Amino acid sequence: MDSNTREVPNDRAGRLHWDEVWAETAPTRDDMEDWATRTFSSVLTSIIKSHNLQGQVCMELGCANSIWLPYLAQAHGMQVMGIDASELGVALVRNRLERNRTHGEVRCGDFFVPEQGERECCDLLVSFGVAEHFEPTAACLRAFGQYVRPGGLLVTSIPNLASIYGPLQRWVHRPTYEKHVILDRDQLRQAHLEAGFKIVSCSYLMSVNFYLLNLSGHPRGLRRGVKRVLLGLLGRASRMAWWFESRGLQLPVTRWFSPFIFCVAEKSG
């Protein structure tokens, strides 16, 4: 499909939203010890090893402030690339790469329009919290597939707002909630199939994570302060659950409390 006929999904969030988010973001450590991050890294490691992707090319779409590009380069020897629409977000991830003395090809731009040399350029394409901002979802995933070589993998993670986190996010900050297309596991799976991918796996990930809830953009004042306190308490409940899990007690992963949906799909040859 060329640039004159391509299907352009509707962006519910928009570049201005992300510039505002990253403008509020304080510098953070490149910390891989958080339980949620350790869970993601464990899943990614399993995918990379089982498909012999060590040292291959990986691209992240929506890579702003990403810890994953330096991680994938250092832990798995991958050649990393990234695209994001926010200049502020791209500056943050470039700083991370520099701090980690890691090389990566990162650009600011529209990832629905591959630049010269980017079509079918990677063996693994990852996106974390991107696809759910665009509709129709299948069109978004089809555009992602432009970057993946035949036989390569697309890894898509989205927040599970078709759960307790949806109503909670709507209460915490409704405008943020409305920037998402609400998808459950089966709908995300179906969107990948409609986009022409073969499903490797599609599942809920983690037992609980109330840190998923986002106050960014909420007007300052008493209501924000009260919500911040309540979110802090919910966050502590998440950490308590993770403490038990880190000591061998595996809590159930359910559609109602699991914070993420994680889909691995293969591009047909």
Side-chain angles (χ1 to χ4, degrees), residues 27-127:
T28 57
R29 297 179 302 163
D30 304 308
D31 186 3
M32 300 299 293
E33 294 305 313
D34 174 86
W35 187 251
T37 305
R38 286 168 61 185
T39 300
F40 267 79
S41 62
S42 176
V43 172
L44 286 172
T45 295
S46 176
I47 292 167
I48 290 166
K49 288 185 176 180
S50 63
H51 290 86
N52 297 314
L53 292 172
Q54 298 94 331
Q56 301 302 308
V57 178
C58 176
M59 174 177 280
E60 181 177 5
L61 298 183
C63 66
N65 200 31
S66 173
I67 63 173
W68 297 110
L69 292 184
Y71 166 77
L72 290 166
Q74 293 178 335
H76 299 289
M78 303 196 82
Q79 304 169 56
V80 295
M81 308 169 67
I83 306 173
D84 197 274
S86 168
E87 291 185 4
L88 291 173
V90 167
L92 288 169
V93 71
R94 284 175 175 161
N95 287 339
R96 283 193 187 276
L97 289 164
E98 184 176 348
R99 285 200 307 270
N100 286 274
R101 300 179 181 178
T102 304
H103 176 72
E105 299 289 339
V106 179
R107 72 172 175 89
C108 180
D110 180 358
F111 46 64
F112 292 111
V113 186
E115 292 191 347
Q116 185 175 3
E118 290 181 341
R119 289 186 181 274
E120 298 187 347
C121 67
C122 68
D123 307 281
L124 174 65
L125 187 141
V126 299
S127 70

Side-chain angles (χ1 to χ4, degrees), residues 160 163 165 204-208 253-260:
N160 179 24
S163 67
Y165 301 100
Y204 295 106
L205 185 66
M206 296 187 65
S207 60
V208 65
V253 175
T254 68
R255 62 171 294 187
W256 301 112
F257 286 93
S258 175
F260 304 109

Side-chain angles (χ1 to χ4, degrees), residues 99-225:
R99 285 200 307 270
N100 286 274
R101 300 179 181 178
T102 304
H103 176 72
E105 299 289 339
V106 179
R107 72 172 175 89
C108 180
D110 180 358
F111 46 64
F112 292 111
V113 186
E115 292 191 347
Q116 185 175 3
E118 290 181 341
R119 289 186 181 274
E120 298 187 347
C121 67
C122 68
D123 307 281
L124 174 65
L125 187 141
V126 299
S127 70
F128 305 107
V130 178
E132 76 279 6
H133 295 292
F134 296 91
E135 56 185 347
T137 308
C140 174
L141 297 171
R142 194 174 298 114
F144 286 6
Q146 297 176 99
Y147 298 92
V148 185
R149 292 171 183 158
L153 294 184
L154 171 64
V155 172
T156 309
S157 175
I158 67 170
N160 179 24
L161 295 182
S163 67
I164 190 173
Y165 301 100
L168 284 173
Q169 180 60 61
R170 190 167 57 235
W171 171 76
V172 168
H173 191 223
R174 190 182 186 99
T176 295
Y177 172 83
E178 291 176 345
K179 289 178 172 62
H180 295 77
V181 178
I182 309 303
L183 301 167
D184 63 19
R185 179 188 59 189
D186 292 342
Q187 289 169 323
L188 183 63
R189 183 180 186 278
Q190 183 61 33
H192 281 81
L193 292 173
E194 291 175 9
F197 289 94
K198 175 184 176 182
I199 302 297
V200 177
S201 65
C202 190
S203 60
Y204 295 106
L205 185 66
M206 296 187 65
S207 60
V208 65
N209 185 359
F210 286 106
Y211 289 108
L212 184 73
L213 302 171
N214 190 350
L215 264 173
S216 294
H218 193 292
R220 297 187 182 279
L222 178 60
R223 294 183 67 183
R224 179 185 173 112

